[in-house]
């Protein structure tokens, strides 16, 4: 997903410009994780106050906000600068199989 957002699949790829495409991810709630990551993998959040850090597991996010798992993983694969923030806004993730982008006529990405 990160390579498509950056445009690395195109011959006109340039690292410092946005040459990528929009990506629509559906069925984000059905993502599979291996091993015991469902309970063991923790996401840490910090409010800025002393002693106010808290952790959530993958299972917690699967119930409340399943798209966060995909967005967080892709964010880690993008550059940490203005370009990365622009590219992340081109990622559209949805928990179910329905999405509001049918009028743009999206095509499935060809895999090998």
């Amino acid at each position: 997903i990160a390579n498509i957002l950056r445009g690395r699949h195109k011959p006109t790829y340039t690292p410092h410009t946005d040459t990528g495409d929009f990506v629509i991810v559906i069925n984000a709630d059905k993502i599979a994780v291996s091993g015991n990551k469902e309970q063991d993998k923790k996401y840490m959040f910090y409010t800025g106050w002393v002693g106010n850090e808290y952790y959530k597991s993958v299972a917690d996010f699967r119930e409340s906000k399943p798209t966060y798992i995909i967005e967080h993983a892709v964010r880690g694969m993008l550059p940490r600068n203005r370009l990365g923030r622009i590219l992340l806004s081109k990622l559209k993730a949805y928990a179910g199989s329905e999405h509001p982008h049918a009028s743009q006529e999206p095509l499935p990405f060809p895999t090998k």
Side-chain angles (χ1 to χ4, degrees):
I1 294 173
N3 285 340
I4 297 169
L5 287 172
R6 291 196 71 191
R8 296 194 66 174
H9 62 288
K10 296 180 177 181
T12 58
Y13 168 71
T14 308
H16 64 278
T17 58
D18 179 11
T19 57
D21 298 327
F22 280 79
V23 176
I24 301 170
V25 178
I26 58 173
N27 295 324
D29 55 347
K30 296 180 182 175
I31 188 168
V33 291
S34 61
N36 294 328
K37 289 189 193 106
E38 192 77 25
Q39 299 300 325
D40 294 346
K41 183 176 175 66
K42 303 287 185 189
Y43 297 99
M44 194 268 293
F45 299 94
Y46 179 58
T47 63
W49 292 82
V50 176
N52 280 342
E53 70 179 34
Y54 60 97
Y55 300 88
K56 284 189 168 185
S57 67
V58 174
D60 296 336
F61 274 113
R62 192 181 299 278
E63 293 174 11
S64 62
K65 192 177 177 187
T67 59
Y68 179 82
I69 301 168
I70 297 283
E71 292 166 357
H72 185 271
V74 173
R75 183 185 305 128
M77 299 178 208
L78 292 175
R80 279 100 174 142
N81 53 23
R82 281 177 272 183
L83 178 63
R85 290 187 291 275
I86 292 169
L87 294 176
L88 191 63
S89 69
K90 295 169 70 174
L91 172 65
K92 310 297 181 188
Y94 298 99
S97 60
E98 299 296 320
H99 62 84
H101 306 288
S103 60
Q104 282 78 28
E105 299 176 1
L107 301 172
F109 192 76
T111 58
K112 295 179 183 178

